[in-house]
Amino acid sequence: MNLLIQQTVNGLTLGSIYCLVALGLTLIYGIMEVPNFAHGHLYMVGGYVTFFMMTLYGLNYWVSAIISGIVLAVLGILLERLVFNPMRNSPSSNKFIAAVGAMLFLEASARVLWGSDFRSIPAIYDNVVVMGGVRLTEQRLIIIAGAVILMVALYVFIKHTMIGSTIEAMAQNRDGASLVGIDVNRVAMLTFAVASILASAAASLAGPIFLVYPGMGSLIIMKAFVIIVIGGMGSIPGAVLGSFILGLTESLGATYLSSNYKDVVAFAILVLILSIKPSGLFAKGAR
Amino acid sequence: MLKLSGINVSYGSYLALQDVNIEVNKGEFVVLLGANGAGKSTLFRTISGLLKVTSGSVEFKGQKTNQLPSFKVVELGISQCLEGRALFSHMPVKQNLLLGAYVRRHDKEGIKKSLAMVYELFPALKDKENALAGSLSGGQQQMAAIGRALMSDPELLLLDEPSIGLAPIVVQQVFDAVKIVNEAGKTVLLAEQNAHLALKVSHRGYVLENGRVVMEGRSDMLAGNEDVKKAYIGVSD
């Protein structure tokens, strides 16, 4: 029983990290209609920025995470301006290739600049808490709480502020958004900034438990894609639900089947859900 | 107020508008008649800045607007209600209306007034303010789209085929509402295939065929014209 609870908490931790990355991916897909293959690599850069802020400049964990968020917001805006915006009227295959190019560029840059070593963000919250017979490090609780806070903040931003709702408006109807006077370029930059901040937050939260290395982006982007396909491309609730489904099945699958099958379980879930609901759990729907 | 001079617009090698000259004066209600594919929507998209002219100019209140992005055009006071309505269908009606006021988002009082005005014009929207826009009937969606266009308090309202797909009684309601809006001081440019009603409520009209203006004049004159009757009203005596 304890093992079940333990693994459920681990699944929630994993789901929280996935969720922050997948939310950004789905937001960008919603307005650009193009999957941002480089999104996992923004997560990777976020991890490095936090790592260097702490180790090179000796900054506090939270300060480092905030700086990382700011740096990534700028990087996200640059990516939109330099890669996606010039491609806006191109066929989608060109956008795909551009996104893959951006991804390879970021990974190669990381290897050149920082090497291929595995690093770990110094853990400062590694005390073990015992709750109901389950042993957890504080960092895991921080990950879950942090993700929940950011999800609520994103929800409030999009549903209850005029600026935030422009993202949703543009995702639902680009012409309609232009005609009410929304500057679509500004919304595109805003969306990339928000999505990149979420990715960097995910990396800062995960860094003390998982490792920071140039290839970490490729792994998580695969998972994030599975999630937004499960949830329905462009859907925000779909991304949240998909993340926790994937996090929990991976964690429980690894325990009760075999950890070798961890990724197989994830893709089996994908096949299963898509065979029942081909457009995902929350399809964006017809326009 | 709005002046289109020698407009040419092309999609690739296809010339969708050829040397179009149209003028709309302040306070007028002008109708643009034309069949499917005549270029009405292209013309409207050009005025709103969604499409760019290959030559010619669009002037609004003496200012050239054909190089401006659409959000600037809205800020200047032109609001368009697209054919197909372009609503945010997964958002509540009220949210759609509030986004219509995006360009004056800091004017809380003004937004309140416009919202009250829209609800007075279309009481059905008040009852449905929390329903998703996509769940409304066709007529209510059209009302929501016109209401959203009015929320920016535009000087010029562009309406692209509001009657499309609506029952005749609803069309009448929509046109009556547009007439009220015009009488309250807003300039209206309306694109229609339904010439019968459109010519009744408007002051002047243009007839667009294959991307060219082939006729223009006072609405009562156009309504009496044999060619117009044959082509757009469907009765001829």
Side-chain angles (χ1 to χ4, degrees), chain B residues 116-147:
Chain B
M117 185 270 289
V118 169
Y119 282 158
E120 195 186 332
L121 199 60
F122 300 116
L125 296 182
K126 171 80 181 147
D127 302 334
K128 297 266 184 172
E129 67 176 7
N130 295 318
L132 294 186
S135 72
L136 300 185
S137 70
Q140 290 166 342
Q141 287 193 18
Q142 189 60 57
M143 292 171 193
I146 297 175

Side-chain angles (χ1 to χ4, degrees), chain A residues 12-37:
Chain A
L12 291 176
T13 317
L14 209 53
S16 301
I17 300 297
Y18 290 163
C19 185
L20 294 177
V21 178
L23 277 172
L25 191 65
T26 212
L27 281 177
I28 291 175
Y29 182 83
I31 61 147
M32 299 301 238
E33 307 250 298
V34 67
N36 176 19
F37 291 109

Side-chain angles (χ1 to χ4, degrees), chain B:
Chain B
M1 175 181 245
L2 176 75
K3 192 173 174 193
L4 312 182
S5 329
I7 298 248
N8 288 290
V9 177
S10 49
Y11 295 108
S13 63
Y14 172 68
L15 206 53
L17 291 177
Q18 298 182 44
D19 193 30
V20 171
N21 294 289
I22 284 179
E23 203 165 344
V24 180
N25 301 312
K26 195 167 169 51
E28 268 192 315
F29 189 152
V30 176
V31 64
L32 189 67
L33 297 177
N36 277 334
K40 301 187 300 294
S41 296
T42 304
L43 187 69
F44 273 29
R45 287 175 161 266
T46 309
I47 299 172
S48 287
L50 291 173
L51 288 173
K52 300 292 170 218
V53 296
T54 35
S55 64
S57 75
V58 183
E59 275 177 48
F60 181 64
K61 295 192 289 184
Q63 188 183 346
K64 267 200 173 188
T65 61
N66 48 299
Q67 294 301 328
L68 298 178
S70 17
F71 76 94
K72 290 272 184 207
V73 175
V74 182
E75 284 172 7
L76 284 173
I78 300 183
S79 190
Q80 171 167 190
C81 178
L82 270 188
E83 182 187 341
R85 299 157 197 145
L87 288 171
F88 307 125
S89 47
H90 296 265
M91 288 186 197
V93 171
K94 190 173 179 189
Q95 179 79 358
N96 269 272
L97 294 175
L98 292 177
L99 275 165
Y102 179 76
V103 292
R104 54 206 277 256
R105 54 193 175 280
H106 304 299
D107 176 13
K108 297 267 185 292
E109 276 305 302
I111 292 178
K112 236 186 190 166
K113 267 189 210 155
S114 292
L115 193 63
M117 185 270 289
V118 169
Y119 282 158
E120 195 186 332
L121 199 60
F122 300 116
L125 296 182
K126 171 80 181 147
D127 302 334
K128 297 266 184 172
E129 67 176 7
N130 295 318
L132 294 186
S135 72
L136 300 185
S137 70
Q140 290 166 342
Q141 287 193 18
Q142 189 60 57
M143 292 171 193
I146 297 175
R148 188 180 69 181
L150 286 170
M151 287 296 293
S152 65
D153 196 21
E155 291 179 58
L156 173 63
L157 181 65
L158 304 177
L159 295 172
D160 194 357
E161 296 212 35
S163 72
I164 209 161
L166 301 186
I169 183 160
V170 184
V171 174
Q172 185 72 53
Q173 277 175 15
V174 168
F175 275 47
D176 288 346
V178 176
K179 195 155 170 56
I180 292 172
V181 168
N182 173 247
E183 279 160 4
K186 301 229 181 290
T187 311
V188 177
L189 179 58
L190 166 77
E192 258 306 329
Q193 297 195 50
N194 186 344
H196 181 62
L197 263 177
L199 289 173
K200 261 192 201 161
V201 290
S202 60
H203 302 129
R204 280 195 308 123
Y206 291 84
V207 179
L208 204 62
E209 265 174 27
N210 298 322
R212 293 171 184 274
V213 173
V214 294
M215 216 186 290
E216 59 175 283
R218 289 215 328 261
S219 296
D220 49 352
M221 280 170 60
L222 288 176
N225 182 290
E226 283 304 315
D227 291 337
V228 172
K229 275 191 193 170
K230 252 186 233 155
Y232 303 107
I233 300 181
V235 285
S236 131
D237 37 30

Side-chain angles (χ1 to χ4, degrees), chain A:
Chain A
M1 188 61 200
N2 273 354
L3 184 66
L4 176 67
I5 298 173
Q6 184 85 50
Q7 288 309 313
T8 305
V9 175
N10 287 346
L12 291 176
T13 317
L14 209 53
S16 301
I17 300 297
Y18 290 163
C19 185
L20 294 177
V21 178
L23 277 172
L25 191 65
T26 212
L27 281 177
I28 291 175
Y29 182 83
I31 61 147
M32 299 301 238
E33 307 250 298
V34 67
N36 176 19
F37 291 109
H39 203 67
H41 290 69
L42 294 173
Y43 165 81
M44 177 266 296
V45 176
Y48 272 104
V49 175
T50 306
F51 171 78
F52 285 121
M53 286 301 144
M54 289 184 76
T55 53
L56 287 185
Y57 301 103
L59 294 175
N60 166 288
Y61 174 62
W62 298 104
V63 175
S64 305
I66 288 168
I67 292 175
S68 169
I70 296 168
V71 171
L72 263 285
V74 173
L75 186 64
I77 291 171
L78 282 176
L79 192 66
E80 195 277 332
R81 285 292 95 181
L82 299 177
V83 180
F84 289 96
N85 188 55
M87 291 280 173
R88 215 172 57 205
N89 298 317
S90 316
S92 28
S93 54
N94 297 22
K95 294 184 201 166
F96 267 66
I97 294 167
V100 172
M103 171 184 106
L104 296 175
F105 174 79
L106 285 174
E107 182 159 345
S109 306
R111 282 192 203 283
V112 171
L113 290 171
W114 306 315
S116 301
D117 304 341
F118 286 70
R119 308 173 197 240
S120 169
I121 291 178
I124 45 169
Y125 298 103
D126 55 357
N127 294 332
V128 172
V129 219
V130 181
M131 285 199 313
V134 181
R135 298 166 57 82
L136 302 164
T137 59
E138 289 168 347
Q139 186 66 32
R140 283 189 186 270
L141 295 176
I142 288 173
I143 291 175
I144 297 172
V148 169
I149 290 168
L150 286 167
M151 278 184 261
V152 171
L154 181 72
Y155 180 84
V156 171
F157 177 63
I158 288 185
K159 294 287 176 189
H160 296 284
T161 70
M162 192 62 130
I163 296 296
S165 64
T166 60
I167 296 181
E168 213 184 6
M170 186 165 152
Q172 292 187 12
N173 200 311
R174 199 184 180 100
D175 281 347
S178 298
L179 290 177
V180 297
I182 293 171
D183 179 353
V184 293
N185 276 313
R186 224 176 89 183
V187 178
M189 288 191 273
L190 173 72
T191 308
F192 268 84
V194 169
S196 306
I197 290 170
L198 292 175
S200 105
S204 301
L205 288 169
I209 293 185
F210 305 105
L211 295 167
V212 177
Y213 56 99
M216 70 196 268
S218 313
L219 195 68
I220 199 147
I221 194 72
M222 289 295 295
K223 301 288 171 63
F225 267 117
V226 170
I227 288 162
I228 71 169
V229 171
I230 290 177
M233 304 284 277
S235 162
I236 294 174
V240 174
L241 189 62
S243 301
F244 288 104
I245 290 178
L246 191 69
L248 287 169
T249 43
E250 278 189 1
S251 160
L252 297 173
T255 315
Y256 292 103
L257 298 171
S258 150
S259 59
N260 295 331
Y261 289 124
K262 184 170 151 240
D263 294 334
V264 176
V265 172
F267 287 95
I269 290 279
L270 175 70
V271 171
L272 187 71
I273 289 181
L274 289 187
S275 57
I276 301 166
K277 289 206 75 172
S279 49
L281 296 172
F282 296 82
K284 221 174 121 192
R287 295 204 161 171

